[in-house]
Amino acid sequence: MVTTLAIDCGGGGIKASVLDAAGTMRARPLRVPTPYPLPPALFVKTLLDLAGRLPAADRLTVGMPGMIRHGVVVATPHYVTRSGPRSKVDPALVAEWSGYDARTALAEAFGIPALVLNDAEVHGAGVVAGTGLELVLTLGTGLGSALFDGGVLAPHLELSHAPVRWNTTYDTYVGEPERRRLGDAFWSRRIRQVVDGLRPVFRWDRLYLGGGNSRLIRPEQLTRMGDDVVAVPNTAGIVGGVRAWDLVGDRLDPTA
Protein backbone atom coordinates (compact mmCIF):
# COMPACT_ATOMS: atom_id res chain seq x y z
CA MET A 1 0.00 0.00 0.00
CA VAL A 2 1.42 3.36 -1.07
CA THR A 3 1.58 5.96 1.68
CA THR A 4 1.73 9.71 1.15
CA LEU A 5 3.31 12.40 3.28
CA ALA A 6 1.02 15.39 2.72
CA ILE A 7 2.24 18.84 3.76
CA ASP A 8 -0.04 21.87 3.62
CA CYS A 9 2.06 25.06 3.70
CA GLY A 10 0.26 28.27 4.56
CA GLY A 11 1.19 31.81 5.38
CA GLY A 12 0.76 31.29 9.11
CA GLY A 13 1.36 27.59 9.63
CA ILE A 14 2.58 24.36 8.04
CA LYS A 15 0.57 21.16 8.65
CA ALA A 16 1.48 17.58 7.80
CA SER A 17 0.32 14.00 8.13
CA VAL A 18 0.86 10.61 6.52
CA LEU A 19 -2.07 8.98 4.71
CA ASP A 20 -2.74 5.56 3.26
CA ALA A 21 -4.00 4.93 -0.27
CA ALA A 22 -7.61 5.45 0.84
CA GLY A 23 -6.80 8.90 2.22
CA THR A 24 -7.02 7.85 5.86
CA MET A 25 -4.54 9.56 8.15
CA ARG A 26 -2.07 7.13 9.71
CA ALA A 27 -0.79 9.74 12.13
CA ARG A 28 -2.25 12.69 13.95
CA PRO A 29 -1.67 15.90 11.92
CA LEU A 30 1.19 18.07 13.14
CA ARG A 31 1.45 21.83 12.80
CA VAL A 32 4.29 24.31 13.19
CA PRO A 33 4.26 28.09 12.68
CA THR A 34 5.64 29.21 9.34
CA PRO A 35 9.09 30.71 10.09
CA TYR A 36 10.09 34.11 8.71
CA PRO A 37 12.11 35.18 6.91
CA LEU A 38 11.83 31.99 4.86
CA PRO A 39 14.44 31.34 2.16
CA PRO A 40 14.06 28.09 0.19
CA ALA A 41 16.75 26.29 2.21
CA LEU A 42 14.91 26.95 5.48
CA PHE A 43 11.64 25.93 3.82
CA VAL A 44 13.08 22.52 2.94
CA LYS A 45 14.61 22.12 6.41
CA THR A 46 11.31 23.02 8.10
CA LEU A 47 9.48 20.37 6.09
CA LEU A 48 12.17 17.78 6.79
CA ASP A 49 12.03 18.48 10.52
CA LEU A 50 8.25 18.19 10.53
CA ALA A 51 8.33 14.94 8.56
CA GLY A 52 10.89 13.54 10.98
CA ARG A 53 8.15 13.44 13.62
CA LEU A 54 5.84 11.36 11.39
CA PRO A 55 5.95 7.79 10.00
CA ALA A 56 7.96 7.19 6.83
CA ALA A 57 6.07 7.52 3.53
CA ASP A 58 6.51 6.40 -0.08
CA ARG A 59 5.84 9.75 -1.73
CA LEU A 60 5.41 13.42 -0.89
CA THR A 61 2.74 15.99 -1.75
CA VAL A 62 3.31 19.65 -0.89
CA GLY A 63 0.81 22.45 -1.32
CA MET A 64 2.19 25.96 -1.03
CA PRO A 65 0.86 29.45 -1.69
CA GLY A 66 1.56 31.17 -4.99
CA MET A 67 1.95 30.41 -8.67
CA ILE A 68 3.53 26.97 -9.08
CA ARG A 69 4.12 25.52 -12.54
CA HIS A 70 5.38 21.97 -12.94
CA GLY A 71 6.75 22.11 -9.41
CA VAL A 72 8.66 25.35 -10.05
CA VAL A 73 7.85 28.52 -8.11
CA VAL A 74 6.90 31.37 -10.42
CA ALA A 75 5.89 33.61 -7.51
CA THR A 76 4.93 33.13 -3.88
CA PRO A 77 3.30 36.02 -2.00
CA HIS A 78 4.10 35.28 1.65
CA TYR A 79 7.48 33.58 1.59
CA VAL A 80 9.23 36.58 0.04
CA THR A 81 8.35 38.82 2.99
CA ARG A 82 10.55 39.62 5.97
CA SER A 83 8.12 38.75 8.75
CA GLY A 84 5.06 37.12 7.23
CA PRO A 85 1.95 37.97 5.18
CA ARG A 86 1.57 41.66 4.31
CA SER A 87 4.93 42.62 5.79
CA LYS A 88 7.71 44.21 3.75
CA VAL A 89 8.92 42.26 0.72
CA ASP A 90 12.61 41.34 0.71
CA PRO A 91 14.12 41.63 -2.81
CA ALA A 92 16.72 38.99 -1.96
CA LEU A 93 13.97 36.49 -1.12
CA VAL A 94 12.12 37.36 -4.32
CA ALA A 95 15.26 36.46 -6.26
CA GLU A 96 15.76 33.21 -4.33
CA TRP A 97 12.20 31.99 -4.78
CA SER A 98 11.68 33.07 -8.39
CA GLY A 99 12.24 30.01 -10.59
CA TYR A 100 13.01 27.78 -7.60
CA ASP A 101 12.50 24.12 -8.54
CA ALA A 102 10.72 23.09 -5.35
CA ARG A 103 9.70 19.67 -6.63
CA THR A 104 13.25 18.61 -7.50
CA ALA A 105 14.68 20.07 -4.31
CA LEU A 106 12.14 18.30 -2.10
CA ALA A 107 12.38 15.00 -3.98
CA GLU A 108 16.14 15.02 -3.46
CA ALA A 109 15.92 16.09 0.18
CA PHE A 110 13.31 13.45 1.09
CA GLY A 111 14.55 10.73 -1.26
CA ILE A 112 11.02 9.97 -2.54
CA PRO A 113 8.90 11.15 -5.52
CA ALA A 114 7.42 14.58 -4.85
CA LEU A 115 4.50 16.57 -6.19
CA VAL A 116 4.37 20.32 -5.51
CA LEU A 117 1.22 22.30 -6.29
CA ASN A 118 -0.54 25.44 -5.22
CA ASP A 119 -2.13 24.81 -1.82
CA ALA A 120 -5.66 25.46 -3.10
CA GLU A 121 -5.11 22.85 -5.81
CA VAL A 122 -4.20 20.18 -3.26
CA HIS A 123 -7.19 21.27 -1.17
CA GLY A 124 -9.42 20.91 -4.21
CA ALA A 125 -8.11 17.44 -4.97
CA GLY A 126 -9.50 16.37 -1.62
CA VAL A 127 -13.07 17.51 -2.33
CA VAL A 128 -13.91 17.54 -6.05
CA ALA A 129 -16.35 14.95 -7.37
CA GLY A 130 -14.60 14.64 -10.72
CA THR A 131 -17.56 15.60 -12.91
CA GLY A 132 -18.27 18.90 -14.62
CA LEU A 133 -16.51 22.19 -13.95
CA GLU A 134 -15.58 22.53 -10.29
CA LEU A 135 -14.09 25.67 -8.75
CA VAL A 136 -12.39 25.65 -5.35
CA LEU A 137 -11.88 28.85 -3.34
CA THR A 138 -9.90 28.67 -0.10
CA LEU A 139 -10.42 31.34 2.53
CA GLY A 140 -7.58 31.98 4.94
CA THR A 141 -4.73 34.46 5.05
CA GLY A 142 -5.92 35.48 1.60
CA LEU A 143 -7.87 33.81 -1.21
CA GLY A 144 -6.72 30.66 -2.97
CA SER A 145 -8.28 29.14 -6.08
CA ALA A 146 -8.17 25.99 -8.19
CA LEU A 147 -10.21 24.87 -11.19
CA PHE A 148 -10.97 21.28 -12.18
CA ASP A 149 -12.65 20.11 -15.40
CA GLY A 150 -13.89 16.53 -15.33
CA GLY A 151 -11.63 15.89 -12.36
CA VAL A 152 -8.48 17.10 -14.14
CA LEU A 153 -6.65 20.10 -12.75
CA ALA A 154 -6.62 23.13 -15.05
CA PRO A 155 -3.62 25.49 -15.30
CA HIS A 156 -3.38 27.66 -12.22
CA LEU A 157 -4.59 31.26 -12.23
CA GLU A 158 -3.75 33.65 -9.38
CA LEU A 159 -7.30 34.92 -9.02
CA SER A 160 -6.36 36.34 -5.63
CA HIS A 161 -4.32 39.10 -7.29
CA ALA A 162 -7.08 40.24 -9.65
CA PRO A 163 -8.73 43.56 -8.74
CA VAL A 164 -12.20 43.29 -7.23
CA ARG A 165 -12.55 47.05 -6.87
CA TRP A 166 -10.30 50.08 -7.29
CA ASN A 167 -6.83 49.33 -5.87
CA THR A 168 -8.13 46.29 -3.96
CA THR A 169 -7.46 42.64 -4.85
CA TYR A 170 -9.53 39.62 -3.86
CA ASP A 171 -6.70 38.66 -1.52
CA THR A 172 -7.14 41.88 0.43
CA TYR A 173 -10.91 42.05 0.04
CA VAL A 174 -11.72 38.73 1.74
CA GLY A 175 -8.47 37.84 3.56
CA GLU A 176 -8.06 37.32 7.29
CA PRO A 177 -7.31 40.98 8.17
CA GLU A 178 -10.60 42.07 6.58
CA ARG A 179 -12.53 39.31 8.33
CA ARG A 180 -11.19 40.52 11.65
CA ARG A 181 -11.99 44.14 10.81
CA LEU A 182 -15.51 43.47 9.54
CA GLY A 183 -16.59 40.65 11.85
CA ASP A 184 -17.94 37.33 10.62
CA ALA A 185 -21.44 38.60 9.72
CA PHE A 186 -20.33 41.37 7.36
CA TRP A 187 -17.44 39.31 6.06
CA SER A 188 -19.82 36.45 5.21
CA ARG A 189 -21.97 38.88 3.25
CA ARG A 190 -18.87 39.96 1.36
CA ILE A 191 -18.05 36.33 0.53
CA ARG A 192 -21.54 35.96 -0.94
CA GLN A 193 -20.99 39.08 -3.04
CA VAL A 194 -17.74 37.64 -4.36
CA VAL A 195 -19.47 34.35 -5.22
CA ASP A 196 -22.26 36.21 -7.04
CA GLY A 197 -19.69 38.21 -9.00
CA LEU A 198 -17.65 35.17 -10.05
CA ARG A 199 -20.61 33.00 -11.05
CA PRO A 200 -21.02 34.45 -14.58
CA VAL A 201 -17.23 34.29 -15.08
CA PHE A 202 -16.82 30.55 -14.41
CA ARG A 203 -20.34 29.10 -14.84
CA TRP A 204 -19.28 26.29 -12.52
CA ASP A 205 -21.24 23.12 -11.88
CA ARG A 206 -20.06 23.17 -8.27
CA LEU A 207 -18.19 25.68 -6.13
CA TYR A 208 -16.37 24.54 -2.98
CA LEU A 209 -15.50 27.03 -0.25
CA GLY A 210 -12.65 25.69 1.86
CA GLY A 211 -9.68 26.87 3.88
CA GLY A 212 -9.48 27.66 7.56
CA ASN A 213 -12.11 30.42 7.43
CA SER A 214 -14.81 28.60 5.46
CA ARG A 215 -16.29 27.35 8.74
CA LEU A 216 -16.92 30.98 9.75
CA ILE A 217 -19.31 31.73 6.89
CA ARG A 218 -22.72 32.39 8.37
CA PRO A 219 -25.27 29.67 7.45
CA GLU A 220 -27.83 32.16 6.17
CA GLN A 221 -25.30 33.60 3.71
CA LEU A 222 -24.21 30.15 2.56
CA THR A 223 -27.84 29.22 1.93
CA ARG A 224 -28.35 32.35 -0.19
CA MET A 225 -25.39 31.38 -2.39
CA GLY A 226 -27.34 28.43 -3.82
CA ASP A 227 -27.29 24.65 -3.90
CA ASP A 228 -24.24 24.61 -6.16
CA VAL A 229 -22.05 26.13 -3.43
CA VAL A 230 -20.67 23.89 -0.66
CA ALA A 231 -18.47 24.67 2.34
CA VAL A 232 -15.83 21.98 2.97
CA PRO A 233 -13.46 21.34 5.92
CA ASN A 234 -9.89 22.59 5.98
CA THR A 235 -8.58 19.03 6.44
CA ALA A 236 -8.97 18.66 2.67
CA GLY A 237 -5.61 20.42 2.37
CA ILE A 238 -3.98 17.28 3.75
CA VAL A 239 -6.39 14.60 2.52
CA GLY A 240 -6.04 15.97 -1.00
CA GLY A 241 -2.38 15.00 -0.91
CA VAL A 242 -3.34 11.47 -1.94
CA ARG A 243 -5.90 12.24 -4.65
CA ALA A 244 -3.73 14.96 -6.17
CA TRP A 245 -1.56 12.31 -7.80
CA ASP A 246 -4.57 10.97 -9.71
CA LEU A 247 -6.06 14.33 -10.74
CA VAL A 248 -3.13 16.37 -11.99
CA GLY A 249 -2.78 14.63 -15.35
CA ASP A 250 0.41 13.52 -17.11
CA ARG A 251 1.59 17.10 -17.69
CA LEU A 252 2.31 17.52 -13.96
CA ASP A 253 2.95 13.99 -12.72
CA PRO A 254 6.67 13.63 -11.93
CA THR A 255 6.48 9.89 -12.53
CA ALA A 256 4.89 10.18 -16.00
Side-chain angles (χ1 to χ4, degrees), residues 180-198:
R180 291 181 179 179
R181 186 183 72 84
L182 293 171
D184 289 345
F186 284 100
W187 176 81
S188 296
R189 185 183 305 173
R190 181 170 286 189
I191 297 299
R192 178 173 60 82
Q193 293 170 346
V194 167
V195 168
D196 290 343
L198 292 177

Side-chain angles (χ1 to χ4, degrees), residues 135 137 143 159 164 170 173-174 187-204 207 209 217 220-229:
L135 176 65
L137 298 178
L143 176 73
L159 177 64
V164 63
Y170 283 98
Y173 193 59
V174 298
W187 176 81
S188 296
R189 185 183 305 173
R190 181 170 286 189
I191 297 299
R192 178 173 60 82
Q193 293 170 346
V194 167
V195 168
D196 290 343
L198 292 177
R199 187 183 297 275
V201 177
F202 289 95
R203 298 287 181 178
W204 56 70
L207 167 64
L209 298 176
I217 300 174
E220 66 273 15
Q221 295 298 337
L222 188 61
T223 299
R224 293 183 65 181
M225 293 180 205
D227 294 339
D228 58 348
V229 180

Side-chain angles (χ1 to χ4, degrees), residues 105-150:
L106 289 169
E108 291 178 351
F110 280 82
I112 53 178
L115 185 65
V116 180
L117 300 169
N118 172 272
D119 51 350
E121 295 175 338
V122 178
H123 193 103
V127 299
V128 295
T131 58
L133 189 73
E134 299 174 281
L135 176 65
V136 179
L137 298 178
T138 55
L139 306 166
T141 304
L143 176 73
S145 64
L147 188 65
F148 294 80
D149 184 13

Side-chain angles (χ1 to χ4, degrees), residues 29-171:
L30 300 178
R31 183 187 187 278
V32 296
T34 303
Y36 291 99
L38 185 60
L42 179 57
F43 175 75
V44 173
K45 181 180 183 303
T46 301
L47 270 55
L48 280 170
D49 290 346
L50 187 59
R53 298 160 54 192
L54 292 165
D58 300 308
R59 63 186 185 183
L60 167 67
T61 304
V62 174
M64 59 180 293
M67 176 73 78
I68 315 296
R69 289 183 184 151
H70 308 285
V72 176
V73 178
V74 177
T76 182
H78 308 313
Y79 299 166
V80 297
T81 62
R82 294 181 178 176
S83 56
R86 296 179 176 82
S87 65
K88 190 172 182 179
V89 171
D90 185 334
L93 288 174
V94 173
E96 283 196 65
W97 277 108
S98 181
Y100 177 69
D101 190 344
R103 186 177 71 190
T104 297
L106 289 169
E108 291 178 351
F110 280 82
I112 53 178
L115 185 65
V116 180
L117 300 169
N118 172 272
D119 51 350
E121 295 175 338
V122 178
H123 193 103
V127 299
V128 295
T131 58
L133 189 73
E134 299 174 281
L135 176 65
V136 179
L137 298 178
T138 55
L139 306 166
T141 304
L143 176 73
S145 64
L147 188 65
F148 294 80
D149 184 13
V152 177
L153 179 63
H156 183 67
L157 300 175
E158 278 289 74
L159 177 64
S160 60
H161 297 306
V164 63
R165 57 172 54 181
W166 181 255
N167 207 32
T168 302
T169 64
Y170 283 98
D171 219 26

